[in-house]
Each structure stands twice: as C-alpha cells, then as structure tokens.
Amino acid sequence: MSIARRNDKIESLRSRLHVTLTRGKVESGVLEKITGPGYISLKCPDSLHLNIQNPLTSSSFFELLSQGDEFKAWDSRVNKLYTGKNSARVLVPANSPDGSEFIFPGRPPHIFEAILPESIDTEAPGVWSSLEEQGGMEARYYVLVFSLESAAHRLHVLRKIWIERTGLAVARQQRYAEDGKIISDVRYSHVTQADGFLFPLTIDMDRPLDGYSLKLEFEDLRINPDINSNSFVIIHPGAEEVPLIEKRGNAF
C-alpha cells in the first residue's frame, strides 16, 4: 500500500510566483538573499524550470533548469551558465576544484520533491511506520513517521509528515540522513483549491546540510496545463558555460 498523495494525478504545473532564496551557511559568514517575482514550469517525471526575475525590470535574474540527471543554472550577475549532474553531492567548477568559486548549492530535484512529495511504499521490506498526534491551541496534526530497519536492527527515520487533522492537508514534511541529521524541512501553508486539487500556495523549504532555503509563493497557479518542450530551455547568448564536477571527497 502506498500513502495517498494529494498530487497523484498532477502531471504538470505552471505558475507565477514570488521567490525568496537564501544561500550560504551562518557559520561560514557568507549569506546572500535573492528575492523577486518569477515563474515556474514543472512536468512529471523530472522536468523543472524556475526563473527568478528582477523586481524592477522583470528581466531574468537567475534561472534553474532540470531534466533527468542534467541541470543548468544561470546567474545574470556574472552571465555564467553552470551545467552539472543532479546526482552529484557537492558541485564545484571544473577549473576550480577547490570550490573557491561560490556556486548555488541547490538542485531542481530538491524543489520538485518539495512541490510534489514522493510517496512511500509502506509494504516495502524493512519499512516501518507509526502514527502520533500533536497540536496546541491553533491546530492539531497527525504525524506519520516512516523508518527503515538497518542490518544492525536499528531504525533509521526516513521521513516525518504532519497532516492537519481538520482538512487532512499536508502541513510539513522532514527528510533525514542515516546519522539523524535533517536533510530537508518543508512547510506548507495557505492550502486552496486549484483546478480541482488541494494545493498549498506557500511552500517554505530549508536544506540545512546544503546551505540554502527557498520560499515559493504561488500566484495564478495552473495544474495540469499543456506544457511543451520549449518551456524547458535556457537561452542566454554570450553566457560563459561553466561545467561543474563532484567536489573531491563528497561522492555518495
């Protein structure tokens, strides 16, 4: 049995939105915030294009594109088009293997998974689940905890999902690494009806190990529109292409 998902029948999505992206880690002393309007196109199983625009000129400021394992990121400030693999853990420029050039650490699959969470097969070997209730004065939640049994007879928590009891909408999900550290923490709010689906108009994602957070506020959301292949291209003539490689010592 698979846990029913609100997005079981969502095959594509398109929306204008407001984006707030914060990258860098507090301990490094390097923090940067990018905020502005933009738009997003998403098509299952793995295509995503996010465009963040300059709030004054509405021109493209920063773009992320992903199809399969290939991704691209364009930064208007340096007019560079970074290309790499989603499957890599930490990416650095091929001509700067020490990572001296600061690159946005996020990947489109992180965003894809936050918007359309993957289901969990509760009957898969070694998968355990539990249910508890949490809440206070404002809201009460069912909390589903999914764990994987290891060879050492220990349970490794994979994911926690908070479901608001009144409307049964997903309010939060967390993913965990084997050592118990949080990989991602995603909060959902302002759930509304969109083209027959319950969908959160605000998604707050934090990736503490990757050093960035992202807030998406959807406007004029369309679910299951026709999206052609032209929606998944980045064209910036004259941009310097920078191949990215796996940083030494950070392979999976």
Side-chain angles (χ1 to χ4, degrees), residues 171-192:
R172 184 181 186 183
Q173 70 160 332
Q174 291 180 332
R175 284 182 172 270
Y176 294 82
E178 283 193 44
D179 60 3
K181 293 180 180 178
I182 294 178
I183 296 174
S184 68
D185 189 355
V186 187
R187 296 175 182 269
Y188 304 92
S189 57
H190 303 103
V191 176
T192 189

Side-chain angles (χ1 to χ4, degrees), residues 138-152:
E138 295 184 358
R140 297 186 64 84
Y141 303 93
Y142 296 115
V143 183
L144 293 168
V145 181
F146 299 95
S147 304
L148 181 65
E149 186 177 2
S150 69

Side-chain angles (χ1 to χ4, degrees), residues 217-236:
E217 298 172 276
F218 294 89
E219 303 172 2
D220 296 334
L221 174 67
R222 294 179 57 201
I223 294 179
N224 289 337
D226 290 330
I227 300 180
N228 59 40
S229 58
N230 293 333
S231 296
F232 301 102
V233 294
I234 293 180
I235 301 176
H236 292 287

Side-chain angles (χ1 to χ4, degrees), residues 8 33 42 46 52 61 70 77 88 94 139 190 192 204 211 236:
D8 275 342
K33 179 177 285 189
L42 178 154
D46 52 25
I52 305 174
F61 178 77
E70 307 293 327
R77 294 165 299 178
H190 303 103
T192 189
D204 263 302
H236 292 287

Side-chain angles (χ1 to χ4, degrees), residues 18-21 33-37 52-55 61:
H18 189 274
V19 183
T20 302
L21 185 156
K33 179 177 285 189
I34 298 173
T35 182
I52 305 174
Q53 299 173 316
N54 185 308
F61 178 77

Side-chain angles (χ1 to χ4, degrees), residues 10 49 60 83 153 178 204 221 235 237 241:
I10 296 179
H49 184 195
S60 295
T83 61
H153 301 289
E178 283 193 44
D204 263 302
L221 174 67
I235 301 176
E241 186 167 336

Side-chain angles (χ1 to χ4, degrees), residues 37-203:
Y39 60 84
I40 190 168
S41 295
L42 178 154
K43 188 173 184 179
C44 293
D46 52 25
S47 297
L48 182 143
H49 184 195
L50 173 65
N51 188 318
I52 305 174
Q53 299 173 316
N54 185 308
L56 297 178
T57 64
S58 297
S59 59
S60 295
F61 178 77
F62 190 88
E63 289 190 68
L64 281 176
L65 178 69
S66 179
Q67 289 184 292
D69 194 33
E70 307 293 327
F71 93 93
K72 297 179 179 180
W74 176 74
D75 191 334
S76 66
R77 294 165 299 178
V78 291
N79 196 24
K80 290 183 178 181
L81 180 66
Y82 302 97
T83 61
K85 301 288 187 181
N86 288 313
S87 55
R89 171 65 176 166
V90 177
L91 288 166
V92 294
N95 60 0
S96 178
D98 62 348
S100 58
E101 183 173 352
F102 186 61
I103 304 299
F104 172 57
R107 310 289 167 76
H110 300 170
I111 304 170
F112 197 108
E113 161 64 18
I115 296 173
L116 299 181
E118 181 184 7
S119 63
I120 294 180
D121 186 353
T122 58
E123 294 186 352
V127 174
W128 291 78
S129 62
S130 62
L131 175 67
E132 61 182 80
E133 293 188 26
Q134 289 184 5
M137 296 294 293
E138 295 184 358
R140 297 186 64 84
Y141 303 93
Y142 296 115
V143 183
L144 293 168
V145 181
F146 299 95
S147 304
L148 181 65
E149 186 177 2
S150 69
H153 301 289
R154 295 180 179 177
L155 289 179
H156 157 219
V157 175
L158 297 171
R159 199 189 319 182
K160 292 182 180 179
I161 301 175
W162 282 256
I163 300 175
E164 198 274 318
R165 287 183 55 181
T166 302
L168 298 181
V170 175
R172 184 181 186 183
Q173 70 160 332
Q174 291 180 332
R175 284 182 172 270
Y176 294 82
E178 283 193 44
D179 60 3
K181 293 180 180 178
I182 294 178
I183 296 174
S184 68
D185 189 355
V186 187
R187 296 175 182 269
Y188 304 92
S189 57
H190 303 103
V191 176
T192 189
Q193 283 280 350
D195 296 324
F197 294 88
L198 279 177
F199 200 89
L201 295 184
T202 302
I203 298 178

